[in-house]
Amino acid sequence: MTHDPKQDPAQVPMLATPTGETDPYGWVERSVWTKRMVGCLRQGGPEGGKWYSLHDKVFATKTLEAGFARVLANAGAPGVDGVTVEAFEKHLAAEIHRLQTAWCAGTYRPDAVKRAWIAKPGSTEQRPLGIPTVRDRVVQSALRLVLEPIFESDFHEHSYGFRPGRSAQQAAGVVLGHLKAGRLVVVDADLRGYFDSIPHARLLDAVRQRVTDGRVLDLIDLFLKAGVMEDARLTTPEAGTPQGGVISPLLANIYLDALDQRLASAGRTMVRYADDFVILCHSHDEAAHALADVHAWTAEAGLTLHPTKTQIVDLGLPGTWFDFLGFRFKRSDLPDGTLRILRLIRDKSLDRARDAIRAATPRNAGDALETIILRVNRWARGWFGYFRSIHRSCHHLLDTMIRRRLRSILSRRVGRERWGRGLAHQIWPNAFFARHDLFSLEQAHVGYLHSYSGNR
């Protein structure tokens, strides 16, 4: 079977490389990274490749101010001390001075993180979230501003999660490209409780490969061992880096980079987004060997693959599929036998979209139609920003649901709750909602495809 991309123009892959800055270090914080320091980065770092003196950069006034700017942009809830981002901002100069004084005196200690539980996407399970205090988030942001450029130069190109200029959409596009190139046997891997199980000592050893400033290493260790406060009970973690910590995504990528490099050296084709990754192979034997490599590395690294969620999927078989980053990659050949891989939306992500539409369009809504449409549009535009590249059929499905819900509201208001879909559609056709500026996912998708084609 052969694949003809012209048969399925909606399946244009996302860009496979970061966009924006042509300068690989154009994203670094210039108030932290001087021209001389960036020049050192371009040369691979200082002699020996290791950075020896960085703690003064972390607690410099400009770095802490830049760190706070990022904390302010992300907002977020207060930590165990109850101090909000807005309250911290009112006394920013004094708070920064207090942090610097404590650091110079050797008395800075992170507060405990506040444990919260959030719903795990696509599951009935809950995920633990650790919320540091605002002052600790500022220090972590400053620390990340200093460390991230150092490690970015080492990270493998197939890693996309929590990295500047990279996105889940790019990762999904690269996966689709590999599938269409014939790598149809996929290792779909799931690390069990990754963020909560990273061994502290081994993580610090990984950081030490590039950073040997003892005070910076001690600072990271303090954050790793900060207590966790839940229901007035304080515990000390023995492993892991809390999800919710500003520095955690970078540390998580640093630890998994060894797996990236190992698989790349073995010639494996991998796409990773944080702790979610797939390995794309040409045969089942290749996939089995790749999975064995991952098992061996995780055992050495003190991590565990989820026994039931980790699997090998063969898209060489018609109708097969796997999920990755909220997308569903499914084989759906054309009638003439031409290979076609669709990028859809996984069932649980689709269910959440439907729930969001229902929440925005309650049948007894008393708001003006314009207000309801504004509410729907806010959700739709945000949703489209992530799922814009999925097959047009998914956009059509949700557009239809939105208009049906709006027609139901309008029918109820004229006392005709039981009007059938046909009659309501005649009274309030699609053009009616277009005139009221209802955002159309399907039309936006067409515009996205045209924009992509025009930039090729």
PDB file of all heavy atoms in Angstrom, residues 29 31-32 57-73 88-89 91-97 99-100 135 137-139 141-143 145:
ATOM      1  N   GLU A  29      16.883  34.908  29.078  1.00  0.00           N
ATOM      2  CA  GLU A  29      16.615  36.165  29.772  1.00  0.00           C
ATOM      3  C   GLU A  29      17.872  37.036  29.744  1.00  0.00           C
ATOM      4  O   GLU A  29      18.886  36.720  30.369  1.00  0.00           O
ATOM      5  CB  GLU A  29      16.198  35.889  31.220  1.00  0.00           C
ATOM      6  CG  GLU A  29      15.966  37.116  32.075  1.00  0.00           C
ATOM      7  CD  GLU A  29      14.970  38.077  31.484  1.00  0.00           C
ATOM      8  OE1 GLU A  29      13.851  37.640  31.154  1.00  0.00           O
ATOM      9  OE2 GLU A  29      15.334  39.264  31.330  1.00  0.00           O
ATOM     10  N   SER A  31      18.549  39.923  30.961  1.00  0.00           N
ATOM     11  CA  SER A  31      18.984  40.580  32.201  1.00  0.00           C
ATOM     12  C   SER A  31      19.784  39.621  33.067  1.00  0.00           C
ATOM     13  O   SER A  31      20.446  40.036  34.015  1.00  0.00           O
ATOM     14  CB  SER A  31      17.763  41.086  32.984  1.00  0.00           C
ATOM     15  OG  SER A  31      16.951  40.016  33.417  1.00  0.00           O
ATOM     16  N   VAL A  32      19.748  38.332  32.741  1.00  0.00           N
ATOM     17  CA  VAL A  32      20.493  37.316  33.484  1.00  0.00           C
ATOM     18  C   VAL A  32      21.714  36.856  32.697  1.00  0.00           C
ATOM     19  O   VAL A  32      22.831  36.803  33.217  1.00  0.00           O
ATOM     20  CB  VAL A  32      19.583  36.105  33.792  1.00  0.00           C
ATOM     21  CG1 VAL A  32      20.356  35.014  34.515  1.00  0.00           C
ATOM     22  CG2 VAL A  32      18.367  36.540  34.598  1.00  0.00           C
ATOM     23  N   LYS A  57      24.354  34.621  40.410  1.00  0.00           N
ATOM     24  CA  LYS A  57      23.421  34.990  39.350  1.00  0.00           C
ATOM     25  C   LYS A  57      21.976  34.731  39.779  1.00  0.00           C
ATOM     26  O   LYS A  57      21.074  35.495  39.457  1.00  0.00           O
ATOM     27  CB  LYS A  57      23.719  34.185  38.083  1.00  0.00           C
ATOM     28  CG  LYS A  57      25.121  34.336  37.541  1.00  0.00           C
ATOM     29  CD  LYS A  57      25.387  35.739  37.055  1.00  0.00           C
ATOM     30  CE  LYS A  57      26.778  35.841  36.446  1.00  0.00           C
ATOM     31  NZ  LYS A  57      27.112  37.260  36.101  1.00  0.00           N
ATOM     32  N   VAL A  58      21.753  33.639  40.511  1.00  0.00           N
ATOM     33  CA  VAL A  58      20.392  33.292  40.923  1.00  0.00           C
ATOM     34  C   VAL A  58      19.804  34.362  41.823  1.00  0.00           C
ATOM     35  O   VAL A  58      18.644  34.772  41.659  1.00  0.00           O
ATOM     36  CB  VAL A  58      20.381  31.923  41.641  1.00  0.00           C
ATOM     37  CG1 VAL A  58      18.977  31.614  42.166  1.00  0.00           C
ATOM     38  CG2 VAL A  58      20.855  30.819  40.699  1.00  0.00           C
ATOM     39  N   PHE A  59      20.588  34.841  42.773  1.00  0.00           N
ATOM     40  CA  PHE A  59      20.068  35.792  43.758  1.00  0.00           C
ATOM     41  C   PHE A  59      20.402  37.248  43.429  1.00  0.00           C
ATOM     42  O   PHE A  59      20.244  38.126  44.283  1.00  0.00           O
ATOM     43  CB  PHE A  59      20.558  35.425  45.158  1.00  0.00           C
ATOM     44  CG  PHE A  59      19.754  34.309  45.770  1.00  0.00           C
ATOM     45  CD1 PHE A  59      20.061  32.994  45.502  1.00  0.00           C
ATOM     46  CD2 PHE A  59      18.656  34.570  46.581  1.00  0.00           C
ATOM     47  CE1 PHE A  59      19.317  31.952  46.034  1.00  0.00           C
ATOM     48  CE2 PHE A  59      17.899  33.553  47.115  1.00  0.00           C
ATOM     49  CZ  PHE A  59      18.233  32.226  46.842  1.00  0.00           C
ATOM     50  N   ALA A  60      20.849  37.502  42.204  1.00  0.00           N
ATOM     51  CA  ALA A  60      21.012  38.889  41.768  1.00  0.00           C
ATOM     52  C   ALA A  60      19.640  39.550  41.677  1.00  0.00           C
ATOM     53  O   ALA A  60      18.640  38.900  41.366  1.00  0.00           O
ATOM     54  CB  ALA A  60      21.711  38.929  40.414  1.00  0.00           C
ATOM     55  N   THR A  61      19.585  40.832  41.942  1.00  0.00           N
ATOM     56  CA  THR A  61      18.306  41.550  41.954  1.00  0.00           C
ATOM     57  C   THR A  61      17.568  41.413  40.627  1.00  0.00           C
ATOM     58  O   THR A  61      16.365  41.126  40.594  1.00  0.00           O
ATOM     59  CB  THR A  61      18.531  43.038  42.281  1.00  0.00           C
ATOM     60  OG1 THR A  61      19.141  43.152  43.571  1.00  0.00           O
ATOM     61  CG2 THR A  61      17.213  43.800  42.273  1.00  0.00           C
ATOM     62  N   LYS A  62      18.276  41.590  39.515  1.00  0.00           N
ATOM     63  CA  LYS A  62      17.626  41.513  38.204  1.00  0.00           C
ATOM     64  C   LYS A  62      17.062  40.119  37.944  1.00  0.00           C
ATOM     65  O   LYS A  62      15.998  39.970  37.325  1.00  0.00           O
ATOM     66  CB  LYS A  62      18.609  41.901  37.103  1.00  0.00           C
ATOM     67  CG  LYS A  62      18.926  43.392  37.054  1.00  0.00           C
ATOM     68  CD  LYS A  62      19.820  43.719  35.878  1.00  0.00           C
ATOM     69  CE  LYS A  62      20.093  45.220  35.792  1.00  0.00           C
ATOM     70  NZ  LYS A  62      20.979  45.555  34.629  1.00  0.00           N
ATOM     71  N   THR A  63      17.764  39.096  38.412  1.00  0.00           N
ATOM     72  CA  THR A  63      17.272  37.729  38.189  1.00  0.00           C
ATOM     73  C   THR A  63      16.025  37.469  39.011  1.00  0.00           C
ATOM     74  O   THR A  63      15.046  36.882  38.510  1.00  0.00           O
ATOM     75  CB  THR A  63      18.352  36.698  38.555  1.00  0.00           C
ATOM     76  OG1 THR A  63      19.589  37.054  37.936  1.00  0.00           O
ATOM     77  CG2 THR A  63      17.948  35.305  38.093  1.00  0.00           C
ATOM     78  N   LEU A  64      16.019  37.887  40.258  1.00  0.00           N
ATOM     79  CA  LEU A  64      14.838  37.695  41.101  1.00  0.00           C
ATOM     80  C   LEU A  64      13.656  38.509  40.579  1.00  0.00           C
ATOM     81  O   LEU A  64      12.509  38.054  40.627  1.00  0.00           O
ATOM     82  CB  LEU A  64      15.157  38.074  42.540  1.00  0.00           C
ATOM     83  CG  LEU A  64      16.141  37.141  43.269  1.00  0.00           C
ATOM     84  CD1 LEU A  64      16.550  37.727  44.612  1.00  0.00           C
ATOM     85  CD2 LEU A  64      15.531  35.754  43.458  1.00  0.00           C
ATOM     86  N   GLU A  65      13.929  39.718  40.065  1.00  0.00           N
ATOM     87  CA  GLU A  65      12.848  40.517  39.478  1.00  0.00           C
ATOM     88  C   GLU A  65      12.278  39.822  38.243  1.00  0.00           C
ATOM     89  O   GLU A  65      11.053  39.786  38.046  1.00  0.00           O
ATOM     90  CB  GLU A  65      13.375  41.908  39.119  1.00  0.00           C
ATOM     91  CG  GLU A  65      13.643  42.795  40.324  1.00  0.00           C
ATOM     92  CD  GLU A  65      14.280  44.118  39.950  1.00  0.00           C
ATOM     93  OE1 GLU A  65      14.783  44.240  38.811  1.00  0.00           O
ATOM     94  OE2 GLU A  65      14.291  45.042  40.792  1.00  0.00           O
ATOM     95  N   ALA A  66      13.156  39.279  37.396  1.00  0.00           N
ATOM     96  CA  ALA A  66      12.685  38.554  36.216  1.00  0.00           C
ATOM     97  C   ALA A  66      11.936  37.292  36.628  1.00  0.00           C
ATOM     98  O   ALA A  66      10.939  36.919  35.995  1.00  0.00           O
ATOM     99  CB  ALA A  66      13.870  38.196  35.318  1.00  0.00           C
ATOM    100  N   GLY A  67      12.408  36.642  37.690  1.00  0.00           N
ATOM    101  CA  GLY A  67      11.700  35.468  38.192  1.00  0.00           C
ATOM    102  C   GLY A  67      10.314  35.816  38.683  1.00  0.00           C
ATOM    103  O   GLY A  67       9.340  35.096  38.404  1.00  0.00           O
ATOM    104  N   PHE A  68      10.187  36.931  39.396  1.00  0.00           N
ATOM    105  CA  PHE A  68       8.867  37.344  39.873  1.00  0.00           C
ATOM    106  C   PHE A  68       7.943  37.676  38.701  1.00  0.00           C
ATOM    107  O   PHE A  68       6.741  37.377  38.756  1.00  0.00           O
ATOM    108  CB  PHE A  68       8.948  38.552  40.802  1.00  0.00           C
ATOM    109  CG  PHE A  68       7.577  39.077  41.163  1.00  0.00           C
ATOM    110  CD1 PHE A  68       6.781  38.392  42.071  1.00  0.00           C
ATOM    111  CD2 PHE A  68       7.068  40.217  40.560  1.00  0.00           C
ATOM    112  CE1 PHE A  68       5.499  38.837  42.369  1.00  0.00           C
ATOM    113  CE2 PHE A  68       5.798  40.671  40.859  1.00  0.00           C
ATOM    114  CZ  PHE A  68       5.011  39.982  41.772  1.00  0.00           C
ATOM    115  N   ALA A  69       8.471  38.295  37.655  1.00  0.00           N
ATOM    116  CA  ALA A  69       7.639  38.634  36.494  1.00  0.00           C
ATOM    117  C   ALA A  69       6.984  37.383  35.917  1.00  0.00           C
ATOM    118  O   ALA A  69       5.822  37.404  35.508  1.00  0.00           O
ATOM    119  CB  ALA A  69       8.483  39.337  35.426  1.00  0.00           C
ATOM    120  N   ARG A  70       7.701  36.278  35.921  1.00  0.00           N
ATOM    121  CA  ARG A  70       7.138  35.030  35.417  1.00  0.00           C
ATOM    122  C   ARG A  70       6.123  34.450  36.383  1.00  0.00           C
ATOM    123  O   ARG A  70       5.103  33.891  35.972  1.00  0.00           O
ATOM    124  CB  ARG A  70       8.266  34.037  35.126  1.00  0.00           C
ATOM    125  CG  ARG A  70       8.971  34.364  33.819  1.00  0.00           C
ATOM    126  CD  ARG A  70      10.380  33.816  33.743  1.00  0.00           C
ATOM    127  NE  ARG A  70      10.949  34.067  32.417  1.00  0.00           N
ATOM    128  CZ  ARG A  70      11.388  35.249  32.006  1.00  0.00           C
ATOM    129  NH1 ARG A  70      11.317  36.301  32.812  1.00  0.00           N
ATOM    130  NH2 ARG A  70      11.897  35.399  30.798  1.00  0.00           N
ATOM    131  N   VAL A  71       6.383  34.576  37.657  1.00  0.00           N
ATOM    132  CA  VAL A  71       5.416  34.116  38.661  1.00  0.00           C
ATOM    133  C   VAL A  71       4.133  34.928  38.550  1.00  0.00           C
ATOM    134  O   VAL A  71       3.023  34.386  38.606  1.00  0.00           O
ATOM    135  CB  VAL A  71       6.010  34.231  40.082  1.00  0.00           C
ATOM    136  CG1 VAL A  71       4.943  33.947  41.138  1.00  0.00           C
ATOM    137  CG2 VAL A  71       7.181  33.270  40.246  1.00  0.00           C
ATOM    138  N   LEU A  72       4.269  36.236  38.368  1.00  0.00           N
ATOM    139  CA  LEU A  72       3.104  37.106  38.227  1.00  0.00           C
ATOM    140  C   LEU A  72       2.291  36.735  36.993  1.00  0.00           C
ATOM    141  O   LEU A  72       1.057  36.688  37.033  1.00  0.00           O
ATOM    142  CB  LEU A  72       3.563  38.560  38.141  1.00  0.00           C
ATOM    143  CG  LEU A  72       2.475  39.629  37.981  1.00  0.00           C
ATOM    144  CD1 LEU A  72       1.558  39.653  39.198  1.00  0.00           C
ATOM    145  CD2 LEU A  72       3.099  41.007  37.762  1.00  0.00           C
ATOM    146  N   ALA A  73       2.984  36.438  35.887  1.00  0.00           N
ATOM    147  CA  ALA A  73       2.282  36.091  34.647  1.00  0.00           C
ATOM    148  C   ALA A  73       1.505  34.784  34.795  1.00  0.00           C
ATOM    149  O   ALA A  73       0.423  34.626  34.227  1.00  0.00           O
ATOM    150  CB  ALA A  73       3.280  35.980  33.503  1.00  0.00           C
ATOM    151  N   PHE A  88       2.585  39.930  47.482  1.00  0.00           N
ATOM    152  CA  PHE A  88       4.038  39.901  47.346  1.00  0.00           C
ATOM    153  C   PHE A  88       4.514  41.070  46.486  1.00  0.00           C
ATOM    154  O   PHE A  88       5.527  41.710  46.787  1.00  0.00           O
ATOM    155  CB  PHE A  88       4.466  38.568  46.726  1.00  0.00           C
ATOM    156  CG  PHE A  88       5.935  38.275  46.802  1.00  0.00           C
ATOM    157  CD1 PHE A  88       6.448  37.540  47.849  1.00  0.00           C
ATOM    158  CD2 PHE A  88       6.800  38.739  45.816  1.00  0.00           C
ATOM    159  CE1 PHE A  88       7.815  37.265  47.919  1.00  0.00           C
ATOM    160  CE2 PHE A  88       8.158  38.463  45.868  1.00  0.00           C
ATOM    161  CZ  PHE A  88       8.665  37.727  46.931  1.00  0.00           C
ATOM    162  N   GLU A  89       3.757  41.368  45.421  1.00  0.00           N
ATOM    163  CA  GLU A  89       4.141  42.434  44.507  1.00  0.00           C
ATOM    164  C   GLU A  89       4.145  43.797  45.195  1.00  0.00           C
ATOM    165  O   GLU A  89       4.978  44.662  44.882  1.00  0.00           O
ATOM    166  CB  GLU A  89       3.192  42.451  43.313  1.00  0.00           C
ATOM    167  CG  GLU A  89       3.546  43.471  42.255  1.00  0.00           C
ATOM    168  CD  GLU A  89       2.575  43.469  41.091  1.00  0.00           C
ATOM    169  OE1 GLU A  89       1.420  43.020  41.276  1.00  0.00           O
ATOM    170  OE2 GLU A  89       2.966  43.914  39.992  1.00  0.00           O
ATOM    171  N   HIS A  91       5.149  44.610  47.991  1.00  0.00           N
ATOM    172  CA  HIS A  91       6.381  44.815  48.761  1.00  0.00           C
ATOM    173  C   HIS A  91       7.547  44.116  48.070  1.00  0.00           C
ATOM    174  O   HIS A  91       8.406  43.505  48.723  1.00  0.00           O
ATOM    175  CB  HIS A  91       6.208  44.288  50.183  1.00  0.00           C
ATOM    176  CG  HIS A  91       5.003  44.823  50.893  1.00  0.00           C
ATOM    177  ND1 HIS A  91       4.938  46.102  51.405  1.00  0.00           N
ATOM    178  CD2 HIS A  91       3.783  44.262  51.136  1.00  0.00           C
ATOM    179  CE1 HIS A  91       3.754  46.306  51.958  1.00  0.00           C
ATOM    180  NE2 HIS A  91       3.036  45.199  51.805  1.00  0.00           N
ATOM    181  N   LEU A  92       7.570  44.184  46.735  1.00  0.00           N
ATOM    182  CA  LEU A  92       8.526  43.399  45.960  1.00  0.00           C
ATOM    183  C   LEU A  92       9.972  43.715  46.333  1.00  0.00           C
ATOM    184  O   LEU A  92      10.772  42.789  46.551  1.00  0.00           O
ATOM    185  CB  LEU A  92       8.300  43.653  44.462  1.00  0.00           C
ATOM    186  CG  LEU A  92       9.213  42.870  43.511  1.00  0.00           C
ATOM    187  CD1 LEU A  92       9.050  41.374  43.727  1.00  0.00           C
ATOM    188  CD2 LEU A  92       8.921  43.246  42.065  1.00  0.00           C
ATOM    189  N   ALA A  93      10.330  44.991  46.396  1.00  0.00           N
ATOM    190  CA  ALA A  93      11.722  45.344  46.695  1.00  0.00           C
ATOM    191  C   ALA A  93      12.134  44.806  48.069  1.00  0.00           C
ATOM    192  O   ALA A  93      13.234  44.261  48.234  1.00  0.00           O
ATOM    193  CB  ALA A  93      11.906  46.857  46.634  1.00  0.00           C
ATOM    194  N   ALA A  94      11.245  44.941  49.041  1.00  0.00           N
ATOM    195  CA  ALA A  94      11.557  44.461  50.390  1.00  0.00           C
ATOM    196  C   ALA A  94      11.651  42.932  50.422  1.00  0.00           C
ATOM    197  O   ALA A  94      12.510  42.358  51.101  1.00  0.00           O
ATOM    198  CB  ALA A  94      10.502  44.945  51.376  1.00  0.00           C
ATOM    199  N   GLU A  95      10.769  42.268  49.677  1.00  0.00           N
ATOM    200  CA  GLU A  95      10.782  40.803  49.646  1.00  0.00           C
ATOM    201  C   GLU A  95      12.064  40.284  48.995  1.00  0.00           C
ATOM    202  O   GLU A  95      12.663  39.307  49.455  1.00  0.00           O
ATOM    203  CB  GLU A  95       9.560  40.270  48.886  1.00  0.00           C
ATOM    204  CG  GLU A  95       8.230  40.513  49.579  1.00  0.00           C
ATOM    205  CD  GLU A  95       8.024  39.593  50.784  1.00  0.00           C
ATOM    206  OE1 GLU A  95       8.926  38.794  51.104  1.00  0.00           O
ATOM    207  OE2 GLU A  95       6.956  39.690  51.413  1.00  0.00           O
ATOM    208  N   ILE A  96      12.487  40.938  47.917  1.00  0.00           N
ATOM    209  CA  ILE A  96      13.732  40.538  47.256  1.00  0.00           C
ATOM    210  C   ILE A  96      14.917  40.758  48.181  1.00  0.00           C
ATOM    211  O   ILE A  96      15.823  39.908  48.281  1.00  0.00           O
ATOM    212  CB  ILE A  96      13.898  41.297  45.925  1.00  0.00           C
ATOM    213  CG1 ILE A  96      12.904  40.758  44.892  1.00  0.00           C
ATOM    214  CG2 ILE A  96      15.331  41.185  45.404  1.00  0.00           C
ATOM    215  CD1 ILE A  96      12.935  41.479  43.564  1.00  0.00           C
ATOM    216  N   HIS A  97      14.911  41.890  48.876  1.00  0.00           N
ATOM    217  CA  HIS A  97      15.998  42.161  49.825  1.00  0.00           C
ATOM    218  C   HIS A  97      16.024  41.107  50.933  1.00  0.00           C
ATOM    219  O   HIS A  97      17.107  40.659  51.353  1.00  0.00           O
ATOM    220  CB  HIS A  97      15.832  43.560  50.420  1.00  0.00           C
ATOM    221  CG  HIS A  97      16.902  43.916  51.407  1.00  0.00           C
ATOM    222  ND1 HIS A  97      18.197  44.167  51.042  1.00  0.00           N
ATOM    223  CD2 HIS A  97      16.854  44.037  52.775  1.00  0.00           C
ATOM    224  CE1 HIS A  97      18.912  44.443  52.122  1.00  0.00           C
ATOM    225  NE2 HIS A  97      18.129  44.367  53.180  1.00  0.00           N
ATOM    226  N   LEU A  99      15.034  38.002  50.712  1.00  0.00           N
ATOM    227  CA  LEU A  99      15.565  36.763  50.139  1.00  0.00           C
ATOM    228  C   LEU A  99      17.088  36.830  50.026  1.00  0.00           C
ATOM    229  O   LEU A  99      17.793  35.864  50.363  1.00  0.00           O
ATOM    230  CB  LEU A  99      14.949  36.519  48.758  1.00  0.00           C
ATOM    231  CG  LEU A  99      13.515  35.998  48.722  1.00  0.00           C
ATOM    232  CD1 LEU A  99      12.964  36.038  47.295  1.00  0.00           C
ATOM    233  CD2 LEU A  99      13.450  34.568  49.261  1.00  0.00           C
ATOM    234  N   GLN A 100      17.592  37.951  49.553  1.00  0.00           N
ATOM    235  CA  GLN A 100      19.039  38.092  49.391  1.00  0.00           C
ATOM    236  C   GLN A 100      19.760  38.054  50.738  1.00  0.00           C
ATOM    237  O   GLN A 100      20.828  37.442  50.868  1.00  0.00           O
ATOM    238  CB  GLN A 100      19.355  39.397  48.649  1.00  0.00           C
ATOM    239  CG  GLN A 100      18.893  39.383  47.192  1.00  0.00           C
ATOM    240  CD  GLN A 100      18.984  40.750  46.544  1.00  0.00           C
ATOM    241  OE1 GLN A 100      18.760  41.784  47.199  1.00  0.00           O
ATOM    242  NE2 GLN A 100      19.289  40.779  45.246  1.00  0.00           N
ATOM    243  N   ARG A 135       7.222  33.310  47.443  1.00  0.00           N
ATOM    244  CA  ARG A 135       8.653  33.646  47.547  1.00  0.00           C
ATOM    245  C   ARG A 135       9.515  32.501  47.041  1.00  0.00           C
ATOM    246  O   ARG A 135      10.532  32.722  46.376  1.00  0.00           O
ATOM    247  CB  ARG A 135       9.031  34.013  48.978  1.00  0.00           C
ATOM    248  CG  ARG A 135       9.137  32.849  49.923  1.00  0.00           C
ATOM    249  CD  ARG A 135       9.799  33.218  51.255  1.00  0.00           C
ATOM    250  NE  ARG A 135      10.184  32.005  51.956  1.00  0.00           N
ATOM    251  CZ  ARG A 135      11.352  31.832  52.546  1.00  0.00           C
ATOM    252  NH1 ARG A 135      12.249  32.796  52.533  1.00  0.00           N
ATOM    253  NH2 ARG A 135      11.652  30.706  53.157  1.00  0.00           N
ATOM    254  N   ARG A 137       8.517  30.300  44.789  1.00  0.00           N
ATOM    255  CA  ARG A 137       8.329  30.252  43.334  1.00  0.00           C
ATOM    256  C   ARG A 137       9.232  31.282  42.651  1.00  0.00           C
ATOM    257  O   ARG A 137       9.737  31.028  41.546  1.00  0.00           O
ATOM    258  CB  ARG A 137       6.859  30.492  42.972  1.00  0.00           C
ATOM    259  CG  ARG A 137       5.922  29.431  43.520  1.00  0.00           C
ATOM    260  CD  ARG A 137       4.687  29.237  42.661  1.00  0.00           C
ATOM    261  NE  ARG A 137       3.764  30.343  42.617  1.00  0.00           N
ATOM    262  CZ  ARG A 137       2.726  30.526  43.441  1.00  0.00           C
ATOM    263  NH1 ARG A 137       2.520  29.683  44.452  1.00  0.00           N
ATOM    264  NH2 ARG A 137       1.891  31.537  43.283  1.00  0.00           N
ATOM    265  N   VAL A 138       9.429  32.430  43.282  1.00  0.00           N
ATOM    266  CA  VAL A 138      10.319  33.446  42.722  1.00  0.00           C
ATOM    267  C   VAL A 138      11.745  32.916  42.651  1.00  0.00           C
ATOM    268  O   VAL A 138      12.432  33.052  41.627  1.00  0.00           O
ATOM    269  CB  VAL A 138      10.257  34.738  43.561  1.00  0.00           C
ATOM    270  CG1 VAL A 138      11.364  35.709  43.143  1.00  0.00           C
ATOM    271  CG2 VAL A 138       8.892  35.404  43.420  1.00  0.00           C
ATOM    272  N   VAL A 139      12.206  32.271  43.716  1.00  0.00           N
ATOM    273  CA  VAL A 139      13.568  31.732  43.724  1.00  0.00           C
ATOM    274  C   VAL A 139      13.695  30.602  42.705  1.00  0.00           C
ATOM    275  O   VAL A 139      14.683  30.518  41.965  1.00  0.00           O
ATOM    276  CB  VAL A 139      13.955  31.234  45.136  1.00  0.00           C
ATOM    277  CG1 VAL A 139      15.338  30.584  45.111  1.00  0.00           C
ATOM    278  CG2 VAL A 139      13.941  32.382  46.129  1.00  0.00           C
ATOM    279  N   SER A 141      11.969  30.263  39.971  1.00  0.00           N
ATOM    280  CA  SER A 141      11.962  30.883  38.637  1.00  0.00           C
ATOM    281  C   SER A 141      13.326  31.466  38.309  1.00  0.00           C
ATOM    282  O   SER A 141      13.823  31.326  37.184  1.00  0.00           O
ATOM    283  CB  SER A 141      10.896  31.985  38.563  1.00  0.00           C
ATOM    284  OG  SER A 141       9.598  31.448  38.641  1.00  0.00           O
ATOM    285  N   ALA A 142      13.939  32.128  39.290  1.00  0.00           N
ATOM    286  CA  ALA A 142      15.279  32.682  39.085  1.00  0.00           C
ATOM    287  C   ALA A 142      16.279  31.559  38.810  1.00  0.00           C
ATOM    288  O   ALA A 142      17.134  31.667  37.924  1.00  0.00           O
ATOM    289  CB  ALA A 142      15.699  33.483  40.313  1.00  0.00           C
ATOM    290  N   LEU A 143      16.171  30.479  39.563  1.00  0.00           N
ATOM    291  CA  LEU A 143      17.053  29.335  39.368  1.00  0.00           C
ATOM    292  C   LEU A 143      16.869  28.741  37.974  1.00  0.00           C
ATOM    293  O   LEU A 143      17.849  28.391  37.298  1.00  0.00           O
ATOM    294  CB  LEU A 143      16.760  28.286  40.443  1.00  0.00           C
ATOM    295  CG  LEU A 143      17.599  27.010  40.433  1.00  0.00           C
ATOM    296  CD1 LEU A 143      19.078  27.326  40.615  1.00  0.00           C
ATOM    297  CD2 LEU A 143      17.113  26.057  41.531  1.00  0.00           C
ATOM    298  N   LEU A 145      15.823  30.332  35.279  1.00  0.00           N
ATOM    299  CA  LEU A 145      16.366  31.268  34.304  1.00  0.00           C
ATOM    300  C   LEU A 145      17.863  31.083  34.126  1.00  0.00           C
ATOM    301  O   LEU A 145      18.407  31.247  33.026  1.00  0.00           O
ATOM    302  CB  LEU A 145      16.076  32.709  34.738  1.00  0.00           C
ATOM    303  CG  LEU A 145      14.621  33.178  34.633  1.00  0.00           C
ATOM    304  CD1 LEU A 145      14.465  34.558  35.266  1.00  0.00           C
ATOM    305  CD2 LEU A 145      14.161  33.204  33.185  1.00  0.00           C
TER     306      LEU A 145
END
